[in-house]
Amino acid sequence: MMNPDTKSIRPIPYGRQHITQEDIDAVIETLQSDFLTQGPKVAEFEQAFANYVDAKYAVAVSNGTAALHLCTLALGVNEESRVITTPITFVASANCVRYCGGTVEFADIDPATALLNINKVRAMLESKPKGYYAGIIPVDFAGNPVNLEEFRKLADEFGCWIIEDACHAPGGYFIDSNGDKQLCGNGKYADLAIFSFHPVKHIATGEGGMITTNSDELYQELLKLRTHGITRDPQLLEENHGGWYMEMQELGYNYRIPDMLCALGVSQLQRADAGLARRKGIAKVYDEAFGNVTGIEVLGTSEEALSDNGSTGHAYHLYVIKVADRKGLYDFLREHNIFAQVHYIPAHTMPYYRNQSYKKGDFPEAEAYYSECLSLPMYPSLTAEEQEFVIRKVKEFVG
Ligand SMILES: *Cc1c(COP(=O)(O)O)cnc(C)c1O
């Protein structure tokens, strides 16, 4: 038993991977096979993942940031492009625009959910001639799905593309205006969606990422860009000198992911539903514990993510609470071996983006959110006892 007055015996992080013997066996099997990279496991992982999120195509890559970069490349982002995203995200969501020389334009968040505020985006689009903005990158922050049906309508009105950053939301969904479930990354409303398999995310491969899409054209382009801009497809070659022949048709990268990691991904994906159910169970316990506590505000879920029968499309990568003395709580929890985390420092306040003309004060909702937010431990292997300990310590500090 854990003594309520002492610290937790093992450190409790905000997120961590869950590796089973089956996962280990799957990797070993690949190590003993003919292929360490570019073998059969890549396609197997892609197919399984496309099925999981209900998309037509999936392209596995070396990490989530590489996935974002390939998306901006495939969509033709260049020095003239202006792209709108949220300041409350991991910086990679914005950086992918900069990799192609484009300009990042932030729009403030909805304080209820910390998601990109569609009304702010609309106001920006309406203030400029059509074609001024190239695209929008909404983020399913914390696992809370963005209403992409609404974003699609807006994007179509102004000729913009959409990249859904779904790193936090594999298995998440929202209910569209027809009452249909729309899984995050299914490609119905966004042109492209991306995922990460960093160990704190739902599915871990160590490093790894995935792009999903329903577009044949973008799919072909992504395959080429992932491997140096090279193709061997006889249909696409300009010349053909024989069996060895390939063409580098444009400037691509090596953003491939090894077979060993895809074997781990395939194995992890088989437990994705169980992990998601456990995350929802943990969220429910936190909700009940903090629901009526003065001094603690639980970050809200988007309405479209709640179905009639009370189930939720929130994928709970993070469980975020807001408290006045956030630094005090963060330090207090650390003293007790609980490693809560802050997601995120607003991207526009980073020195790099301050040099791109942004400054503190530009996005008051994002900055107010940042001053109070704290992500509590949330991962499938968190025990009920550990969660009780976290809840007790949070209440002890706030109460
Ligand atoms: C993790 C993450 C990324 C980047 O993924 P990596 O695999 O670490 O490169 C991008 N966007 C968001 C929202 C993320 O959480």
Side-chain angles (χ1 to χ4, degrees), residues 88-135:
I88 298 300
T89 187
F90 184 57
V91 285
S93 316
N95 296 350
C96 63
V97 176
R98 297 291 308 131
Y99 295 153
C100 297
T103 306
V104 178
E105 301 233 4
F106 296 103
D108 213 345
I109 58 163
D110 175 347
T113 57
L115 297 177
L116 180 61
N117 187 334
I118 193 166
N119 296 322
K120 301 278 182 190
V121 176
R122 176 181 294 282
M124 285 169 76
L125 292 169
E126 284 175 349
S127 73
K128 300 285 182 194
K130 194 173 160 178
Y132 184 87
Y133 291 104

Side-chain angles (χ1 to χ4, degrees), residues 62-68 88-94 139-142 165-168 194-198 200-201 206-209 317 343-344:
S62 46
N63 57 65
T65 304
L68 283 161
I88 298 300
T89 187
F90 184 57
V91 285
S93 316
V139 179
D140 299 313
F141 173 71
D165 183 337
C167 282
H168 295 183
I194 70 107
F195 295 86
S196 161
F197 307 123
H198 182 277
V200 296
K201 310 285 165 76
E207 297 284 354
H317 167 56
H343 299 94
Y344 290 95

Side-chain angles (χ1 to χ4, degrees), residues 377-396:
M378 166 57 85
Y379 49 93
S381 59
L382 182 73
T383 67
E385 194 192 19
E386 286 168 333
Q387 189 180 10
E388 265 321 300
F389 182 69
V390 172
I391 290 168
R392 196 158 60 233
K393 288 294 159 194
V394 170
K395 283 184 171 170
E396 190 181 311

Side-chain angles (χ1 to χ4, degrees), residues 24-39:
I24 294 165
D25 293 344
V27 175
I28 290 172
E29 203 179 296
T30 302
L31 284 170
Q32 292 166 333
S33 77
D34 292 336
F35 297 96
L36 296 188
T37 193
Q38 291 176 284

